[in-house]
Amino acid sequence: MSLKIHNTLTGKKEEFKPSDPKDIKIYVCGPTVYDFAHIGNARPVVVFDTLVRLLRHDYEKVTYARNITDIDDKIMERALKKNVPISEITEKYTKHYEEDMAVLNNKLPDIRPKATDYLPSMIKMIEVLIEKDHAYEIEGQVLFHVPSMENYGELSGRSIEDLKAGARVDVGDYKKFHADFILWKPSTDEQPSWESPWGRGRPGWHLECSCMIEDNFGETIDIHGGGLDLIFPHHENEIAQSRCSHGGKELANYWMHNGYLTVEGEKMSKSLGNYVTVHDLIKEFPNKGEAIRLCLLSAHYRQPTDFSREGIRQAEKQLNRWYKAVEGVSASDKDISPKVLGALHDDLNTPKAIMELGQLAKEGSAASLLASAQLMGFLDNKDWFKELDEINGLSASEIEALIVRRSEAKANKDWTLADKIRNDLEDQGIALLDSAAGTSWTKK
RNA sequence: GGUGCGGUGGCGGAGAGGCUACGCAGCGGAUUGCAAAUCCGUCUACACCAGUUCAAAUCUGGUCCGCACCUCCA
């Protein structure tokens, strides 16, 4: 069963052929750590985590890298405003990012390179590009000269001609061509800076990915992933830098891009302010990170999908059912359903895979359900049904006491009192569940 | 203006020429002191107009609508 991937580079669904089946190399663009990640930022994380899980099932070794952008103007703004070094900002939000993503049951990538650790590599790559006449220096800045590259624009389907047509006014005079982009720029005194042959400054934002890939993997990797909005200019420019410094060698054989998460039909983004952070969401749905994950995977990764709390509640119900179906069951990789695998191998068709999980639950194939769900990062929470100790000021023991009183009332056939206790607790968000074994409670 | 993506039942969301998923919600029933859960049954659909075909949600052409990228953004 072979994996098929929709490759942005060709616009087609292709069979995945690794350059070295003994070591699959995948790189995904990670966060700029200046603020909490929003739920839209979590989508590529969940999507590529799922892909990596599948690759690890298929191949003996997979190396997964995701970068941390810790040099950026937005970080500098924050640091300046709070009057702290940028590392204080970046360390804080890197930690939050990784913790929040872990709650959605994403595994940490094998390599998590930071931009600030790659300055020597970035400077070296700029030198190579200048030497090969793909870049030029002007007034302390170094720019990549876009027309110096044949086939620029292959990934995003743009030609140099298109770029000329789409030119906007207000282009800095220093540029030879308006689409030329920054490789190095000077810093002011209060901005963080590094020593370089072109004076003190900092790197352009596309450069880190090219260098991290080169240093960790070499010239060509198998899969490069990220959000749709990175196709242009970020990934296009990454390709330009890497190909031009590597004699034209392909940077990545397969490019995968996830679609947007929308809120009421609009793109969720920090600039629009219509975002919900993962950090807040996991507080709102404590212990239900998998429900958020299920939500994010219930649409195909290339389709846009709308975010809603109702969707999370639905996902939670579905997971409740699955968790009940696999109680006391153990499973191994051999139990993974071929249908689930088949769906995932078809360009990561997670909605179809989820449907197959539902079928397994329905027909009582518990071991198969467990193994297949775990492959996708579900049914991994041993405490799924465990609720918080305290809800709305009521402690667990107070609730237990009320349950005892209600049981007594029930024994006396005092249904009025029994119902009153149920309804009172219900009003406070606590649901009582009667069963043969006794009464338990859960948060509504 | 250029480029790309999409419009499927109340909602979410697969499928991609004939077998019309699945989930949530709804409705009917079983069960239950009540409630939940569970089980059984069940109703709604392929934006529009032409065309190809024995057969189209699926292919072709056109129309309308929505979204995104072209500037920092997952």
Side-chain angles (χ1 to χ4, degrees):
Chain A
M1 207 170 350
S2 68
L3 174 62
K4 292 200 174 63
I5 288 178
H6 178 92
N7 190 352
T8 310
L9 205 53
T10 56
K12 291 193 194 107
K13 204 192 272 188
E14 299 173 356
E15 192 179 326
F16 175 63
K17 291 184 189 134
S19 51
D20 175 10
K22 288 202 167 61
D23 189 7
I24 309 299
K25 303 171 192 73
I26 173 167
Y27 180 95
V28 175
C29 284
T32 301
V33 281
Y34 70 101
D35 201 352
F36 288 107
H38 63 62
I39 180 73
N41 298 132
R43 192 175 186 192
V45 179
V46 170
V47 164
F48 290 106
D49 178 73
T50 306
L51 177 68
V52 169
R53 284 168 187 263
L54 180 66
L55 289 169
R56 290 195 203 283
H57 169 271
D58 290 354
Y59 297 95
E60 54 189 278
K61 188 180 171 207
V62 177
T63 309
Y64 172 27
R66 184 180 64 212
N67 68 306
I68 301 280
T69 298
D70 61 352
I71 314 173
D72 174 88
D73 285 3
K74 277 177 292 224
I75 298 171
M76 293 179 347
E77 270 171 42
R78 289 245 165 171
L80 210 59
K81 212 188 248 175
K82 294 195 164 182
N83 197 27
V84 294
I86 59 167
S87 60
E88 193 164 304
I89 304 282
T90 59
E91 278 165 22
K92 176 181 169 185
Y93 289 111
T94 300
K95 185 164 167 282
H96 281 306
Y97 181 81
E98 291 181 345
E99 283 171 1
D100 292 347
M101 294 307 145
V103 174
L104 306 190
N105 208 19
N106 294 299
K107 289 181 179 153
L108 273 180
D110 304 291
I111 308 172
R112 292 167 288 144
K114 290 180 183 144
T116 46
D117 291 335
Y118 285 78
L119 264 301
S121 303
M122 292 197 250
I123 288 168
K124 205 178 107 207
M125 188 174 277
I126 296 173
E127 285 175 326
V128 170
L129 290 171
I130 291 175
E131 191 192 305
K132 295 190 175 183
D133 280 332
H134 286 296
Y136 55 95
E137 184 199 353
I138 182 162
E139 293 167 21
Q141 307 186 72
V142 183
L143 288 109
F144 183 94
H145 192 45
V146 167
S148 75
M149 180 193 183
E150 274 181 90
N151 307 329
Y152 180 87
E154 211 173 273
L155 182 71
S156 57
R158 269 162 246 265
S159 63
I160 301 275
E161 295 306 313
D162 288 343
L163 290 169
K164 278 180 190 160
R168 306 220 168 161
V169 283
D170 199 26
V171 174
D173 293 329
Y174 52 85
K175 285 189 184 179
K176 288 189 187 170
F177 184 73
H178 79 278
D180 289 354
F181 57 91
I182 292 272
L183 297 172
W184 190 264
K185 58 184 161 189
S187 292
T188 59
D189 287 344
E190 67 268 24
Q191 289 171 328
S193 63
W194 288 263
E195 200 56 64
S196 85
W198 317 283
R200 289 195 75 82
R202 55 209 148 91
W205 72 291
H206 310 298
L207 203 53
E208 62 184 75
C209 295
S210 289
C211 293
M212 288 164 174
I213 290 171
E214 182 183 60
D215 285 9
N216 288 289
F217 292 121
E219 293 181 336
T220 304
I221 57 171
D222 293 297
I223 300 171
H224 190 129
L228 196 68
D229 49 349
L230 295 180
I231 294 174
F232 189 91
H234 183 56
H235 288 162
E236 200 68 79
N237 291 347
E238 244 179 89
I239 289 175
Q241 292 158 356
S242 294
R243 278 194 196 163
C244 289
S245 52
H246 298 150
K249 289 233 184 64
E250 198 64 80
L251 172 59
N253 292 127
Y254 302 86
W255 287 81
M256 294 174 75
H257 293 95
N258 63 277
Y260 289 116
L261 195 73
T262 57
V263 184
E264 287 161 27
E266 266 199 320
K267 175 181 162 185
M268 179 180 287
S269 76
K270 287 185 176 168
S271 47
L272 288 173
N274 60 342
Y275 65 96
V276 182
T277 67
V278 178
H279 201 68
D280 289 340
L281 211 53
I282 59 186
K283 276 189 209 148
E284 201 177 320
F285 294 91
N287 197 31
K288 303 300 178 198
E290 282 188 15
I292 299 170
R293 182 184 182 92
L294 183 56
C295 254
L296 291 173
L297 290 177
S298 68
H300 184 86
Y301 76 92
R302 286 192 288 117
Q303 296 303 123
T305 187
D306 211 58
F307 166 80
S308 75
R309 289 177 168 80
E310 183 52 34
I312 298 176
R313 278 179 218 113
Q314 278 192 20
E316 189 181 335
K317 283 184 194 167
Q318 195 162 9
L319 282 164
N320 283 342
R321 184 176 303 194
W322 295 353
Y323 270 103
K324 274 178 193 154
V326 300
E327 254 165 19
V329 168
S330 59
S332 73
D333 281 359
K334 287 194 288 291
D335 295 309
I336 294 173
S337 152
K339 284 182 176 170
V340 172
L341 270 182
L344 294 176
H345 278 116
D346 182 14
D347 194 27
L348 214 63
N349 192 337
T350 52
K352 195 172 180 192
I354 289 165
M355 179 274 280
E356 297 294 352
L357 293 180
Q359 289 295 96
L360 294 173
K362 204 169 192 175
E363 60 191 48
S365 311
S368 187
L369 169 63
L370 183 61
S372 312
Q374 288 188 336
L375 176 69
M376 296 177 68
F378 301 117
L379 305 187
D380 245 353
N381 182 352
K382 287 184 181 60
D383 297 322
W384 178 260
F385 288 116
K386 203 176 186 179
E387 292 300 342
L388 300 173
D389 291 340
E390 189 169 298
I391 289 171
N392 294 339
L394 268 180
S395 73
S397 58
E398 283 169 322
I399 296 167
E400 297 295 339
L402 286 168
I403 288 173
V404 171
R405 276 187 60 199
R406 178 164 166 275
S407 300
E408 287 164 6
K410 277 169 67 182
N412 296 330
K413 294 203 191 298
D414 184 352
W415 307 126
T416 321
L417 177 60
D419 285 350
K420 186 179 181 310
I421 292 170
R422 171 189 290 290
N423 292 333
D424 286 352
L425 283 172
E426 194 111 344
D427 289 344
Q428 297 183 72
I430 292 151
L432 297 184
L433 307 170
D434 291 334
S435 73
T439 301
S440 62
W441 62 276
T442 178
K443 189 175 64 79
K444 236 190 342 186

